[in-house]
Amino acid sequence: MFVDKKKLNIKISNTGNLQITGCKTIKQSIQATIEIFKIIKSNGLLFFMKNNEKYFNFLVIPTMCNLDVSLNFSINRQKLDNCFSIFDSC
């Protein structure tokens, strides 16, 4: 799914939990949740409300912060991948 031209990855559990990765803002996670709910709601057989509730609430819990770090030097990604893939010293 794309929100604000940002590709998001969403895992949906059968307990109603969503795990959304790739969000840069809380707003993006809320928008993604609303869009997922619209899709689910459009097919009434996909969900049911617990305790016959009329409305749903959702709680956004940020669990990780992505950081962009500049190392100020170039990295040879192929050599780095080789170091990690063979588990030997470089």
Side-chain angles (χ1 to χ4, degrees):
M1 168 180 287
F2 285 87
V3 173
D4 294 336
K5 299 180 182 177
K6 176 79 174 105
K7 184 177 181 180
L8 305 179
N9 296 306
I10 303 171
K11 295 179 185 176
I12 304 173
S13 73
N14 60 358
T15 60
N17 293 326
L18 302 179
Q19 180 181 356
I20 307 169
T21 58
C23 295
K24 292 287 189 182
T25 65
I26 296 294
K27 179 184 171 190
Q28 288 178 342
S29 65
I30 292 170
Q31 185 62 38
T33 302
I34 291 169
E35 294 302 317
I36 290 294
F37 186 73
K38 285 180 186 177
I39 293 167
I40 292 171
K41 188 177 176 185
S42 69
N43 185 342
L45 300 175
L46 292 179
F47 81 102
F48 62 93
M49 299 294 280
K50 296 178 181 177
N51 303 322
N52 294 320
E53 294 177 14
K54 293 177 77 173
Y55 304 100
F56 77 97
N57 294 312
F58 64 91
L59 176 64
V60 177
I61 303 172
T63 57
M64 186 174 139
C65 180
N66 294 326
L67 301 173
D68 294 326
V69 178
S70 176
L71 299 175
N72 204 23
F73 56 84
S74 298
I75 297 173
N76 184 321
R77 292 288 306 267
Q78 185 173 0
K79 288 183 179 181
L80 180 63
D81 289 344
N82 289 339
C83 288
F84 283 110
S85 66
I86 59 174
F87 297 105
D88 289 332
S89 61
C90 297

